[in-house]
Amino acid sequence: MNSRTWTLPAVAAGDYYLIGVADQYNWVPESDENNNTLAVPITLAIPDLVATSVAFTGQPGPGAQLTLSLVVTNIGSGFASNGWYDAWVLSTDTTLAGAVGSYITGYQPSVPVNGSYTNTTTGNLPVVAAGSYYLIGVAGYNNGVDESTYTNNTVAVPITLGAPDLAV
């Protein structure tokens, strides 16, 4: 018996065949070369992380330290494993294109099908002008999980950064 461990290619979820081949190059003379393959049907499942809510605690201000949380659910057909980072970012609009400053990240090791988790971390907001922004939570930051879609990986909430009031 010959066995190997290998990673399947990143393809869409669905039905496929796993084909085993003996003597691929016909190096061994045989009476029948037509029985050297075996095809087994397999179904590939793939996760789909959905960012469902993002929240913060603390007094938001430029450079302020906040406790950030992100709730994520795996609505896909496959188990998400091997670990990835979720992220939080401040943005001028509800998209990552408007991001200002650096990302704050938190590690997540896995989530089963239909499972959810809350990723919580503490981080400092970027030092930007006081005003109205959005806090965006990003599930599977940098597409760290092979998913069926990435269009549902962000969720945004408005956040107003207050200016310090100094008095003499």
Side-chain angles (χ1 to χ4, degrees):
M1 183 164 129
N2 191 355
S3 65
R4 292 251 165 114
T5 300
W6 50 277
T7 302
L8 293 171
V11 296
D15 296 327
Y16 294 88
Y17 286 91
L18 183 62
I19 301 173
V21 180
D23 191 22
Q24 178 180 0
Y25 301 108
N26 295 325
W27 288 347
V28 177
E30 301 178 59
S31 60
D32 184 358
E33 294 286 351
N34 295 318
N35 63 357
N36 289 355
T37 61
L38 176 65
V40 177
I42 62 170
T43 299
L44 295 182
I46 193 163
D48 182 12
L49 302 181
V50 177
T52 57
S53 70
V54 63
F56 62 90
T57 57
Q59 184 62 43
Q65 187 177 69
L66 299 178
T67 299
L68 308 166
S69 65
L70 175 65
V71 178
V72 178
T73 301
N74 178 5
I75 66 167
S77 58
F79 190 87
S81 60
N82 296 330
W84 60 90
Y85 285 91
D86 293 329
W88 296 262
V89 66
L90 197 64
S91 180
T92 57
D93 57 32
T94 59
T95 71
L96 296 176
V100 293
S102 58
Y103 286 74
I104 300 166
T105 60
Y107 185 75
Q108 180 62 36
S110 65
V111 63
V113 174
N114 297 319
S116 293
Y117 64 88
T118 301
N119 199 338
T120 303
T121 193
T122 300
N124 290 77
L125 293 174
V127 178
V128 295
S132 297
Y133 295 90
Y134 290 89
L135 178 65
I136 300 177
V138 185
Y141 170 64
N142 272 348
N143 299 337
V145 176
D146 287 329
E147 299 183 57
S148 56
T149 182
Y150 296 101
T151 60
N152 54 10
N153 285 33
T154 61
V155 62
V157 295
I159 184 171
T160 301
L161 304 188
D165 184 16
L166 303 177
V168 178

